[in-house]
Amino acid sequence: MWFFNSPEIAFGEEALSYLERLEGTRAFIVTDEVIVRLGHAARVAEVLKRGGFQVSIYDKVEPNPSLETVRSGAAAMSEFQPDWIVGLGGGSSMAAAKAMWILYEYPDMDPEGINPIEVLHLRRKARLVAIPTTSGTGSEATWIVVLTNVAERRKLGLGCRDDLPDIAIVDPSFVVGMPPRLTADTGMDALVPALEGFTCSFHNDFSDGLCLKAAELVFQYLPRAYADGNDIDARTKMHNAASIAGLGFGNSMASLAHGLGHSLGAVFHVPHGRAVGLFLPYVLEYCARGEPGSTRYQELAYHLRLPCATEVEAAAALVKAIRDLQKRLDAATTLAACGITRTDLDKGMSLLVFNTANDNQTVMSTRIPDDKDVARIFEYAFEGKSIDF
Ligand SMILES: [Zn+2]
């Protein structure tokens, strides 16, 4: 048995005004300092106040939020006693909001212990709205929580089905004018889970269509949003694509590019979207050399209108399409291009391999690499060589 979960989604122009209709009295916004500086937090607070809310803003979420941040935010939440929590920002703020919400409802819980097996009953104190300010993570439409254990330089894939936001506000006005590099990095974070949600071993009929649509939208509109940050049609389509990808992979799983990307991000602080985007073509090449019949590249390529006469041809066409997209986005395609040196790689390798092997997305791959293969993938990705093993 498995489930399909979705928040209520308000999308398109003026979607933010939906907040006015929330019933409650106290709203706690979880965000970061950049979002405050951009005026987004004030804008959201304004709409909530119009709806009769008292508002508190917690703006201390850092990129790759730590367990400590989650504990401190939950403490502030307990003091304020909100009946609505608003996760406002990129994936970090939304993930932090979910984890803080869990600790607010279960003060004795260890955030590292949040897991999909144990059933939690949230919503006894508050409910959650998620408002993305980038188009990529899809966190507004998933129950996934990624936190970082800073001391151990390890990312923790946590979350439980009950921490899915009640409402997602997918309003493109938050992403108009987003800088090009952030657009490209976060945009790849919409594409990778869309493709992995479709190709991983947890794929299912309910999520397939969402993954395909999200991938199609990213290929079509990400280059436009990157080239012109004020192209409102491209922004709207990318913003929708990110949430659709979230629904898709959130009801399936991600896979090996995420296992590798989480590992790289925790060790070398490469932004999430850039890291998973970088690994995507290598992973496709690696999986294509796995057990015959294990992959679904033909079906995927068919829907993306790419050559797909055979599984091999489809895999090659997909790799080429991703490489072409990366070129148009001026994206890093090697570890060296991310500023990682040979010495860094050698020093970090055992931790990179350990992290990848222990990431819960790695086992969703149709070809699960052993430690030796993981190290070789990092080596090949360092140099930018096609996978031939
Ligand atoms: Zn991701």
Coordinates of all heavy atoms in Angstrom, one line a residue, residues 118-189:
E118 N 7.4 6.2 11.6 CA 6.6 6.5 12.8 C 5.5 7.5 12.5 O 5.7 8.5 11.8 CB 7.6 7.2 13.8 CG 7.1 7.1 15.2 CD 8.1 7.8 16.2 OE1 9.3 7.7 15.8 OE2 7.7 8.3 17.2
V119 N 4.3 7.2 12.9 CA 3.1 8.0 12.5 C 3.0 9.1 13.6 O 2.9 8.9 14.8 CB 1.8 7.2 12.5 CG1 0.6 8.1 12.1 CG2 2.0 6.1 11.4
L120 N 3.0 10.4 13.1 CA 2.8 11.5 14.0 C 1.4 12.1 13.7 O 0.9 11.9 12.6 CB 3.9 12.6 13.7 CG 5.3 12.3 14.0 CD1 6.2 13.5 13.6 CD2 5.6 11.9 15.4
H121 N 0.9 12.8 14.7 CA -0.4 13.4 14.5 C -0.2 14.9 14.8 O -0.2 15.4 15.9 CB -1.4 12.8 15.5 CG -1.7 11.4 15.2 ND1 -2.4 10.9 14.2 CD2 -1.2 10.3 15.9 CE1 -2.4 9.6 14.2 NE2 -1.7 9.2 15.2
L122 N 0.1 15.6 13.7 CA 0.3 17.0 13.9 C -1.1 17.7 13.8 O -2.1 17.1 13.9 CB 1.2 17.5 12.7 CG 2.5 16.8 12.7 CD1 3.3 17.4 11.5 CD2 3.3 17.1 13.9
R123 N -1.1 19.1 13.7 CA -2.3 19.9 13.6 C -3.1 19.9 14.9 O -4.3 20.3 14.9 CB -3.2 19.4 12.5 CG -2.5 19.5 11.1 CD -3.3 18.9 10.0 NE -2.5 19.1 8.8 CZ -1.4 18.4 8.4 NH1 -1.0 17.4 9.2 NH2 -0.7 18.7 7.3
R124 N -2.6 19.5 16.0 CA -3.3 19.7 17.3 C -3.0 21.2 17.8 O -3.8 21.7 18.5 CB -2.8 18.7 18.3 CG -3.4 17.3 18.0 CD -3.2 16.3 19.1 NE -1.8 15.8 18.9 CZ -1.4 14.6 19.3 NH1 -2.3 13.8 19.7 NH2 -0.2 14.2 19.1
K125 N -1.9 21.8 17.3 CA -1.6 23.1 17.7 C -1.7 24.1 16.5 O -2.1 25.2 16.7 CB -0.2 23.2 18.4 CG -0.1 22.5 19.7 CD 1.3 22.7 20.3 CE 1.5 22.0 21.6 NZ 2.9 22.0 22.0
A126 N -1.2 23.6 15.4 CA -1.1 24.6 14.3 C -1.2 23.8 12.9 O -1.1 22.6 12.9 CB 0.2 25.3 14.3
R127 N -1.4 24.6 11.9 CA -1.3 24.1 10.5 C -0.2 24.8 9.8 O 0.3 25.9 10.2 CB -2.7 24.1 9.9 CG -3.6 23.0 10.4 CD -4.9 23.0 9.7 NE -5.8 24.1 10.1 CZ -6.9 24.5 9.6 NH1 -7.3 23.8 8.5 NH2 -7.6 25.4 10.1
L128 N 0.1 24.3 8.6 CA 1.3 24.9 7.9 C 0.9 25.3 6.5 O 0.2 24.6 5.7 CB 2.3 23.8 7.7 CG 3.6 24.1 7.0 CD1 4.4 25.2 7.7 CD2 4.5 22.9 6.7
V129 N 1.4 26.6 6.1 CA 1.3 27.1 4.8 C 2.7 27.2 4.3 O 3.6 27.6 5.0 CB 0.8 28.5 4.7 CG1 0.6 29.0 3.3 CG2 -0.6 28.6 5.4
A130 N 3.0 26.8 3.0 CA 4.3 26.9 2.5 C 4.2 27.9 1.3 O 3.3 27.7 0.4 CB 4.8 25.6 2.0
I131 N 5.1 28.8 1.2 CA 5.2 29.8 0.1 C 6.6 29.8 -0.4 O 7.5 30.4 0.2 CB 4.8 31.2 0.6 CG1 3.5 31.2 1.4 CG2 4.7 32.2 -0.5 CD1 3.1 32.6 2.0
P132 N 6.8 29.2 -1.6 CA 8.1 29.2 -2.2 C 8.5 30.5 -2.8 O 7.7 31.2 -3.5 CB 8.0 28.1 -3.3 CG 6.6 28.1 -3.6 CD 5.8 28.4 -2.4
T133 N 9.7 30.9 -2.6 CA 10.3 32.1 -3.3 C 11.3 31.8 -4.3 O 12.0 32.7 -4.8 CB 10.8 33.1 -2.2 OG1 11.9 32.4 -1.6 CG2 9.8 33.5 -1.2
T134 N 11.5 30.5 -4.6 CA 12.3 30.1 -5.7 C 11.5 29.1 -6.4 O 10.5 28.6 -5.9 CB 13.7 29.4 -5.3 OG1 13.4 28.2 -4.5 CG2 14.5 30.3 -4.5
S135 N 11.9 28.8 -7.7 CA 11.1 27.7 -8.4 C 12.0 26.5 -8.6 O 12.8 26.4 -9.5 CB 10.8 28.3 -9.8 OG 10.1 29.5 -9.7
G136 N 11.9 25.6 -7.6 CA 12.8 24.5 -7.7 C 12.6 23.4 -6.7 O 12.2 22.3 -7.1
T137 N 12.7 23.6 -5.5 CA 12.7 22.6 -4.5 C 11.5 21.7 -4.4 O 11.5 20.5 -4.2 CB 13.0 23.1 -3.1 OG1 12.3 22.4 -2.1 CG2 12.7 24.6 -3.0
G138 N 10.3 22.4 -4.7 CA 9.1 21.6 -4.6 C 8.6 21.3 -3.2 O 7.6 20.6 -2.9
S139 N 9.4 21.8 -2.2 CA 9.1 21.5 -0.8 C 7.7 21.9 -0.3 O 7.2 21.3 0.6 CB 10.2 22.2 0.1 OG 10.1 21.8 1.4
E140 N 7.1 22.9 -1.0 CA 5.8 23.3 -0.7 C 4.8 22.2 -0.9 O 3.7 22.2 -0.4 CB 5.4 24.6 -1.5 CG 5.3 24.4 -3.0 CD 6.7 24.4 -3.7 OE1 7.7 24.5 -3.0 OE2 6.7 24.5 -5.0
A141 N 5.1 21.2 -1.7 CA 4.2 20.1 -2.1 C 4.7 18.8 -1.6 O 4.1 17.8 -2.0 CB 4.0 20.1 -3.6
T142 N 5.7 18.7 -0.7 CA 6.1 17.5 -0.2 C 6.2 17.5 1.3 O 6.2 18.5 1.9 CB 7.6 17.1 -0.7 OG1 8.5 17.9 0.0 CG2 7.7 17.4 -2.2
W143 N 6.4 16.3 1.9 CA 6.6 16.2 3.3 C 8.1 16.0 3.7 O 8.5 15.8 4.8 CB 5.8 15.1 4.0 CG 5.8 13.8 3.3 CD1 4.9 13.3 2.3 CD2 6.8 12.7 3.4 NE1 5.3 12.0 1.9 CE2 6.4 11.6 2.6 CE3 7.9 12.6 4.2 CZ2 7.1 10.4 2.5 CZ3 8.7 11.4 4.1 CH2 8.2 10.3 3.3
I144 N 8.9 16.2 2.6 CA 10.3 15.9 2.8 C 11.0 17.0 3.6 O 10.8 18.2 3.4 CB 11.0 15.7 1.4 CG1 10.5 14.4 0.8 CG2 12.5 15.7 1.6 CD1 10.7 14.4 -0.7
V145 N 11.9 16.6 4.5 CA 12.6 17.6 5.4 C 14.1 17.2 5.2 O 14.5 16.1 5.6 CB 12.2 17.5 6.8 CG1 13.1 18.4 7.7 CG2 10.7 17.8 7.0
V146 N 14.9 18.1 4.7 CA 16.3 17.8 4.6 C 17.0 18.8 5.6 O 16.9 20.0 5.4 CB 16.9 18.0 3.2 CG1 18.4 17.7 3.2 CG2 16.2 17.0 2.3
L147 N 17.7 18.3 6.6 CA 18.4 19.1 7.5 C 19.9 18.7 7.5 O 20.3 17.7 6.8 CB 17.9 18.9 9.0 CG 16.4 19.2 9.2 CD1 16.0 18.9 10.6 CD2 16.1 20.7 8.9
T148 N 20.8 19.5 8.1 CA 22.2 19.2 8.1 C 22.7 19.0 9.5 O 22.4 19.8 10.4 CB 23.0 20.3 7.4 OG1 22.5 20.4 6.0 CG2 24.5 20.0 7.4
N149 N 23.4 17.9 9.7 CA 24.2 17.7 10.9 C 25.5 18.3 10.6 O 26.4 17.7 9.9 CB 24.3 16.2 11.2 CG 25.0 15.9 12.5 OD1 25.9 16.6 12.9 ND2 24.6 14.9 13.2
V150 N 25.7 19.5 11.2 CA 26.9 20.3 10.8 C 28.2 19.7 11.3 O 29.2 19.6 10.6 CB 26.7 21.8 11.4 CG1 28.0 22.6 11.1 CG2 25.5 22.4 10.9
A151 N 28.1 19.2 12.5 CA 29.3 18.6 13.1 C 29.8 17.4 12.3 O 31.0 17.2 12.1 CB 29.1 18.1 14.5
E152 N 28.9 16.6 11.8 CA 29.3 15.4 11.0 C 29.3 15.6 9.5 O 29.5 14.7 8.8 CB 28.3 14.3 11.4 CG 28.4 13.8 12.8 CD 27.4 12.8 13.2 OE1 26.7 12.2 12.3 OE2 27.2 12.6 14.4
R153 N 29.1 16.9 9.1 CA 29.0 17.2 7.7 C 28.2 16.2 6.9 O 28.6 15.6 5.9 CB 30.4 17.3 7.1 CG 31.2 18.5 7.6 CD 32.3 18.9 6.7 NE 33.4 17.9 6.7 CZ 34.4 17.9 5.8 NH1 34.4 18.8 4.9 NH2 35.4 17.0 5.9
R154 N 26.9 16.0 7.3 CA 26.0 15.0 6.8 C 24.7 15.6 6.6 O 24.2 16.3 7.5 CB 26.0 13.9 7.8 CG 25.5 12.6 7.3 CD 26.1 11.4 8.2 NE 25.7 11.6 9.6 CZ 24.5 11.2 10.1 NH1 23.6 10.6 9.4 NH2 24.3 11.3 11.4
K155 N 24.0 15.4 5.5 CA 22.6 15.8 5.3 C 21.7 14.7 5.7 O 22.0 13.5 5.5 CB 22.4 16.1 3.8 CG 23.0 17.4 3.4 CD 22.2 18.1 2.4 CE 23.0 19.4 2.0 NZ 22.2 20.3 1.1
L156 N 20.6 15.1 6.3 CA 19.7 14.1 6.9 C 18.4 14.2 6.1 O 17.7 15.3 6.2 CB 19.5 14.4 8.4 CG 20.7 14.6 9.2 CD1 20.4 15.3 10.5 CD2 21.3 13.2 9.5
G157 N 18.0 13.2 5.4 CA 16.7 13.1 4.7 C 15.7 12.7 5.7 O 15.6 11.5 6.0
L158 N 14.8 13.6 6.2 CA 13.9 13.2 7.3 C 12.5 13.5 6.7 O 12.2 13.5 5.6 CB 14.2 14.1 8.5 CG 15.6 14.1 9.0 CD1 15.8 15.2 10.0 CD2 16.0 12.8 9.5
G159 N 11.5 13.7 7.7 CA 10.2 14.0 7.3 C 9.3 12.8 7.5 O 9.7 11.6 7.6
C160 N 8.0 13.1 7.7 CA 6.9 12.1 7.8 C 5.7 12.6 7.1 O 5.6 13.8 6.8 CB 6.6 11.8 9.3 SG 5.8 13.3 10.0
R161 N 4.9 11.7 6.7 CA 3.8 12.0 5.8 C 2.9 13.1 6.4 O 2.3 13.9 5.6 CB 2.9 10.8 5.4 CG 3.6 10.0 4.3 CD 2.6 9.1 3.6 NE 1.8 8.3 4.5 CZ 0.5 8.3 4.6 NH1 -0.2 9.1 3.8 NH2 -0.1 7.5 5.4
D162 N 2.8 13.2 7.7 CA 1.9 14.2 8.3 C 2.4 15.6 8.2 O 1.7 16.5 8.5 CB 1.7 13.8 9.7 CG 0.2 14.1 10.1 OD1 -0.7 13.9 9.3 OD2 0.1 14.7 11.3
D163 N 3.7 15.8 7.9 CA 4.2 17.2 7.9 C 4.0 17.9 6.5 O 4.6 18.9 6.3 CB 5.6 17.3 8.4 CG 6.7 16.7 7.5 OD1 6.6 16.9 6.3 OD2 7.6 16.0 8.0
L164 N 3.3 17.3 5.6 CA 2.9 17.9 4.3 C 2.2 19.2 4.6 O 1.3 19.2 5.5 CB 2.0 17.0 3.5 CG 1.6 17.4 2.1 CD1 2.7 17.2 1.2 CD2 0.4 16.7 1.7
P165 N 2.6 20.3 4.0 CA 1.8 21.6 4.2 C 0.3 21.4 3.9 O -0.1 20.6 3.0 CB 2.5 22.5 3.2 CG 3.8 22.0 2.9 CD 3.7 20.5 3.0
D166 N -0.5 22.1 4.7 CA -1.9 22.1 4.4 C -2.2 22.9 3.1 O -3.1 22.6 2.4 CB -2.7 22.8 5.6 CG -2.5 21.9 6.8 OD1 -3.4 21.0 7.0 OD2 -1.6 22.2 7.6
I167 N -1.5 24.0 3.0 CA -1.7 24.9 1.8 C -0.4 25.3 1.2 O 0.6 25.6 1.9 CB -2.5 26.2 2.3 CG1 -3.8 25.8 2.9 CG2 -2.6 27.2 1.1 CD1 -4.5 27.0 3.5
A168 N -0.3 25.3 -0.1 CA 0.9 25.8 -0.8 C 0.4 27.0 -1.6 O -0.6 27.0 -2.3 CB 1.5 24.8 -1.7
I169 N 1.1 28.1 -1.5 CA 0.8 29.3 -2.2 C 1.9 29.5 -3.3 O 3.0 29.8 -3.0 CB 0.9 30.6 -1.3 CG1 0.0 30.4 -0.1 CG2 0.6 31.8 -2.1 CD1 -1.5 30.8 -0.3
V170 N 1.5 29.2 -4.6 CA 2.5 29.2 -5.7 C 2.2 30.5 -6.5 O 1.5 30.5 -7.5 CB 2.3 27.9 -6.5 CG1 3.4 27.8 -7.6 CG2 2.4 26.7 -5.6
D171 N 2.8 31.6 -6.0 CA 2.5 32.9 -6.6 C 3.8 33.4 -7.3 O 4.8 33.6 -6.7 CB 2.1 33.8 -5.4 CG 1.7 35.2 -5.9 OD1 2.2 35.7 -7.0 OD2 0.8 35.8 -5.3
P172 N 3.7 33.5 -8.6 CA 4.9 33.9 -9.4 C 5.5 35.2 -9.1 O 6.7 35.5 -9.4 CB 4.4 33.8 -10.9 CG 3.0 34.0 -10.8 CD 2.5 33.4 -9.5
S173 N 4.7 36.1 -8.4 CA 5.3 37.4 -8.1 C 6.5 37.3 -7.2 O 7.3 38.2 -7.1 CB 4.2 38.3 -7.4 OG 3.9 37.8 -6.2
F174 N 6.7 36.2 -6.5 CA 7.8 36.1 -5.6 C 9.1 35.7 -6.3 O 10.2 35.8 -5.8 CB 7.6 34.9 -4.5 CG 6.6 35.3 -3.5 CD1 5.3 34.9 -3.5 CD2 7.0 36.2 -2.4 CE1 4.4 35.3 -2.5 CE2 6.2 36.6 -1.4 CZ 4.8 36.1 -1.5
V175 N 9.0 35.3 -7.6 CA 10.2 34.9 -8.3 C 10.6 35.8 -9.5 O 11.6 35.6 -10.1 CB 10.1 33.4 -8.8 CG1 10.1 32.5 -7.6 CG2 8.8 33.2 -9.6
V176 N 9.7 36.7 -9.8 CA 10.1 37.6 -10.9 C 11.3 38.4 -10.5 O 11.5 38.9 -9.4 CB 8.9 38.6 -11.1 CG1 9.4 39.7 -12.1 CG2 7.7 37.9 -11.7
G177 N 12.3 38.4 -11.4 CA 13.5 39.2 -11.1 C 14.6 38.4 -10.3 O 15.6 38.9 -9.9
M178 N 14.3 37.1 -10.0 CA 15.3 36.3 -9.3 C 16.6 36.3 -10.1 O 16.6 36.2 -11.3 CB 14.7 34.9 -9.1 CG 15.4 34.1 -8.1 SD 14.8 32.4 -7.7 CE 13.9 31.9 -9.2
P179 N 17.8 36.4 -9.5 CA 19.0 36.4 -10.2 C 19.2 35.2 -11.1 O 18.8 34.1 -10.7 CB 20.1 36.5 -9.1 CG 19.4 36.9 -7.9 CD 18.0 36.5 -8.0
P180 N 19.9 35.3 -12.2 CA 20.1 34.2 -13.1 C 20.7 32.9 -12.5 O 20.2 31.8 -12.8 CB 21.0 34.7 -14.2 CG 20.9 36.2 -14.1 CD 20.5 36.5 -12.7
R181 N 21.8 33.1 -11.7 CA 22.4 31.9 -11.2 C 21.5 31.1 -10.3 O 21.4 29.9 -10.3 CB 23.7 32.3 -10.4 CG 24.7 31.2 -10.1 CD 25.4 30.6 -11.3 NE 24.9 29.4 -11.8 CZ 24.7 29.2 -13.1 NH1 25.0 30.1 -14.0 NH2 24.1 28.1 -13.6
L182 N 20.8 31.8 -9.4 CA 19.8 31.2 -8.5 C 18.7 30.6 -9.3 O 18.2 29.5 -9.0 CB 19.2 32.2 -7.6 CG 18.3 31.7 -6.4 CD1 19.1 30.8 -5.5 CD2 17.8 32.9 -5.6
T183 N 18.3 31.2 -10.4 CA 17.2 30.7 -11.3 C 17.7 29.3 -11.9 O 16.9 28.4 -11.9 CB 17.0 31.7 -12.5 OG1 16.5 32.9 -11.9 CG2 15.9 31.1 -13.4
A184 N 18.9 29.3 -12.4 CA 19.5 28.1 -13.0 C 19.6 26.9 -11.9 O 19.1 25.8 -12.2 CB 20.8 28.4 -13.6
D185 N 20.2 27.3 -10.8 CA 20.4 26.2 -9.8 C 19.1 25.7 -9.3 O 18.9 24.5 -9.2 CB 21.2 26.8 -8.6 CG 22.7 27.0 -9.0 OD1 23.2 26.5 -9.9 OD2 23.4 27.8 -8.2
T186 N 18.2 26.6 -8.9 CA 16.9 26.1 -8.4 C 16.1 25.4 -9.5 O 15.4 24.4 -9.2 CB 16.2 27.2 -7.7 OG1 16.0 28.3 -8.6 CG2 16.8 27.7 -6.4
G187 N 16.2 25.9 -10.7 CA 15.5 25.3 -11.8 C 15.9 23.8 -12.0 O 15.1 23.0 -12.3
M188 N 17.2 23.6 -11.9 CA 17.7 22.2 -12.0 C 17.1 21.3 -10.9 O 16.9 20.1 -11.0 CB 19.2 22.1 -12.0 CG 19.9 22.6 -13.3 SD 19.2 21.9 -14.8 CE 20.0 20.3 -14.9
D189 N 16.8 22.0 -9.8 CA 16.3 21.2 -8.6 C 14.8 20.9 -8.9 O 14.2 20.2 -8.1 CB 16.5 22.0 -7.3 CG 16.2 21.1 -6.1 OD1 16.3 19.9 -6.3 OD2 15.8 21.6 -5.1

